[in-house]
Amino acid sequence: MKHTHTYTQPTRRGRGPARRIGRSLALVLPVVLVLSGTLAVTSVNWSGTDPSESILAASDVSAQRTSPRAKARAPHELLRDKLLLELQEENPGVALTHLQQAVNGRPSLAKHCTSIARALGRAAVRAYGPTRAQSYARPVCDTSFATGVAALHG
């Protein structure tokens, strides 16, 4: 049995835009997947610690999007402002917990811990009164919070 039909190459005419789009996707899609995977991996907190560092990081990011003056602010000033806002929105206990977490996560902030805790103590007296503010006192930064409460109360 002889086959008389020979295979011929299809003409270029049959290949149309679908083939070009397919080739483009075959080249571009892996690059897009790798980049999006890399971005997803870098945005995850892999350290397993509390998100206290992300509090400071979020402050840094928001400062970068604002005025040039905000960029010049030191990390401890950003943290203090963030915690003072948190004290008013939540309570002094939450702010003190986040202060301790921030100092644990970023030891360079330890030298500013007492001044931040005193500022939180003074703000707590203004917001809650001296008796209620004192009830939130904790041994964060060598009881500087209590010193700040006593400074406005006494």
Side-chain angles (χ1 to χ4, degrees):
M1 176 173 196
K2 251 186 163 181
H3 293 286
T4 57
H5 185 268
T6 59
Y7 180 76
T8 59
Q9 285 281 58
T11 62
R12 177 131 178 106
R13 189 171 173 223
R15 290 186 184 169
R19 187 169 182 115
R20 276 182 268 133
I21 291 172
R23 282 186 179 175
S24 297
L25 281 176
L27 293 173
V28 173
L29 192 59
V31 173
V32 169
L33 290 174
V34 168
L35 288 176
S36 64
T38 303
L39 292 174
V41 168
T42 58
S43 66
V44 173
N45 180 8
W46 293 101
S47 66
T49 60
D50 288 330
S52 62
E53 295 172 13
S54 65
I55 291 172
L56 192 56
S59 298
D60 291 341
V61 168
S62 64
Q64 290 173 359
R65 292 181 183 159
T66 58
S67 68
R69 183 174 180 263
K71 289 182 185 179
R73 298 186 65 203
H76 69 276
E77 293 172 339
L78 294 171
L79 177 63
R80 182 192 62 224
D81 293 348
K82 170 91 172 133
L83 293 174
L84 286 171
L85 182 65
E86 206 169 63
L87 181 138
Q88 292 179 358
E89 292 177 355
E90 300 272 344
N91 65 51
V94 172
L96 286 170
T97 299
H98 288 154
L99 173 61
Q100 187 66 53
Q101 291 172 345
V103 170
N104 290 344
R106 212 167 173 187
S108 64
L109 293 171
K111 61 186 171 190
H112 304 286
C113 186
T114 55
S115 65
I116 294 172
R118 265 190 235 121
L120 289 173
R122 289 188 297 266
V125 169
R126 286 190 292 273
Y128 296 96
T131 306
R132 188 164 174 213
Q134 187 62 40
S135 71
Y136 288 104
R138 296 185 189 165
V140 176
C141 308
D142 298 328
T143 66
S144 296
F145 178 83
T147 305
V149 170
L152 280 185
H153 179 57

